[in-house]
């Protein structure tokens, strides 16, 4: 039986390293609770999630605009929500979302182009959905299956991989395994974007592990 986050990590002293990772994602419950696991271990993981029922515009370009509003000071926005410091990282987490692909593709490309010109800003995309990343916490590789381009089928598959479903209180501890597997199995199409069954989340995982790798490994060692 897996132990909960609280039993594995307990109360920890604040880190002396000031770097903060800002994560902006558009998802509903999955993304929020996944990243919250690490946020509750270390406050340097700062999470901003805008669910689909939010009043915010959480399209890909809308999410970039939210990040700009929250982090970048300007004449029109002299007091952003957060103070972005040297060394901080900003990550925007998106899904291909095939049901809206025609409208999302040009927006995702626009976001990708925008962050490419900014130091320590990054976009990571999963195809077709964030569940691809979660899948790699439990399995080495993806066996092709009918309908794998549809998000709903990945949600069903995830419940088969993890008995009772992916548990955000426990399973994120396998992030190091997921990073290795997702990076090893990653495939990009001709446009450079992830193919179906691939995710760029291993890049964000590398940053999280840079801050929390030792802590995560200590927690893993306590597992029965």
């Amino acid at each position: 039986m897996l132990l909960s986050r609280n039993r594995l990590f307990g109360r920890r002293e604040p880190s002396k390293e000031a770097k903060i990772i800002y994560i902006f994602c558009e998802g509903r419950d999955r993304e929020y609770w996944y990243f919250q696991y690490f946020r509750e271990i270390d406050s340097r993981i700062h999470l901003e999630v805008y669910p689909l029922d939010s009043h915010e515009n959480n399209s890909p370009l809308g999410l970039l605009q939210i990040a700009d509003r929250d982090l970048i000071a300007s004449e029109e926005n002299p007091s952003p929500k957060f103070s972005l410091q040297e060394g901080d990282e900003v990550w925007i987490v998106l899904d291909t979302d095939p049901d809206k692909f025609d409208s999302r593709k040009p927006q995702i490309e626009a976001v990708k182009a925008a962050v490419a010109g900014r130091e320590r800003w990054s976009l990571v995309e999963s195809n077709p959905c964030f569940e691809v990343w979660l899948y790699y916490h439990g399995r080495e590789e993806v066996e092709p299956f009918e309908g794998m381009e549809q998000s709903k089928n990945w949600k069903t598959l995830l419940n088969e991989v993890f008995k009772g479903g992916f548990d955000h209180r426990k399973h994120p501890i396998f992030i190091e395994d997921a990073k290795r597997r997702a990076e090893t199995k990653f495939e990009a199409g001709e446009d450079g974007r992830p193919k179906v069954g691939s995710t760029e989340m291993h890049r964000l995982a590398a940053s999280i592990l840079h801050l929390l790798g030792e802590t995560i490994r200590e927690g893993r060692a306590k597992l029965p």
Side-chain angles (χ1 to χ4, degrees), residues 5-218:
R5 173 186 54 230
N6 291 341
R7 292 181 64 187
L8 290 173
F9 303 110
R11 185 181 297 276
R12 304 186 63 83
E13 293 296 323
S15 172
K16 294 180 180 179
E17 184 177 344
K19 173 182 175 178
I20 294 177
I21 297 176
Y22 293 94
I23 303 172
F24 290 80
C25 28
E26 59 186 339
R28 303 187 189 185
D29 293 334
R30 292 279 197 198
E31 289 92 331
Y32 174 81
W33 290 114
Y34 179 83
F35 291 118
Q36 187 68 8
Y37 181 94
F38 304 104
R39 174 71 179 85
E40 293 186 13
I41 296 173
D42 194 310
S43 61
R44 291 172 298 173
I45 308 295
H46 197 102
L47 179 62
E48 290 292 303
V49 179
Y50 292 90
L52 295 181
D53 58 357
S54 168
H55 65 282
E56 301 280 6
N57 173 11
N58 72 330
S59 66
L61 280 174
L63 202 61
L64 177 64
Q65 291 166 2
I66 290 168
D68 286 347
R69 180 198 66 195
D70 285 358
L71 293 167
I72 298 178
S74 65
E75 186 175 340
E76 297 77 18
N77 183 36
S79 301
K81 185 175 180 180
F82 306 108
S83 177
L84 194 61
Q85 304 296 317
E86 184 177 357
D88 290 348
E89 297 180 9
V90 182
W91 293 83
I92 296 177
V93 180
L94 297 172
D95 293 342
T96 297
D97 197 344
D99 293 334
K100 303 176 183 177
F101 184 70
D102 289 343
S103 62
R104 287 178 67 83
K105 182 178 179 179
Q107 287 205 37
I108 292 174
E109 292 300 326
V111 174
K112 185 176 182 179
V115 302
R118 304 181 185 186
E119 191 173 5
R120 289 181 293 278
W121 283 62
S122 301
L123 162 69
V124 290
E125 184 182 355
S126 300
N127 188 355
C129 56
F130 190 71
E131 280 74 11
V132 174
W133 167 245
L134 301 183
Y135 174 94
Y136 280 115
H137 288 65
R139 296 279 175 85
E140 283 288 334
E141 58 185 287
V142 177
E143 294 292 337
F145 61 92
E146 185 176 355
M148 65 185 298
E149 71 283 354
Q150 296 298 319
S151 300
K152 63 181 181 180
N153 295 329
W154 281 91
K155 292 174 172 62
T156 299
L157 179 62
L158 201 61
N159 291 332
E160 296 174 4
V161 173
F162 297 95
K163 188 175 181 180
F166 189 94
D167 190 334
H168 65 268
R169 298 167 300 177
K170 301 175 181 179
H171 294 128
I173 199 171
F174 298 114
I175 183 175
E176 200 160 23
D177 293 332
K179 173 191 173 296
R180 172 182 56 79
R181 294 162 179 165
E183 187 172 16
T184 299
K185 300 301 180 182
F186 180 80
E187 290 187 87
E190 293 181 359
D191 57 0
R193 299 176 64 201
K195 288 186 176 181
V196 175
S198 288
T199 174
E200 296 174 317
M201 265 297 301
H202 58 88
R203 296 170 48 219
L204 174 50
S207 264
I208 293 174
L209 287 166
H210 176 75
L211 293 184
L212 302 183
E214 183 177 351
T215 301
I216 293 295
R217 286 186 285 273
E218 288 174 359

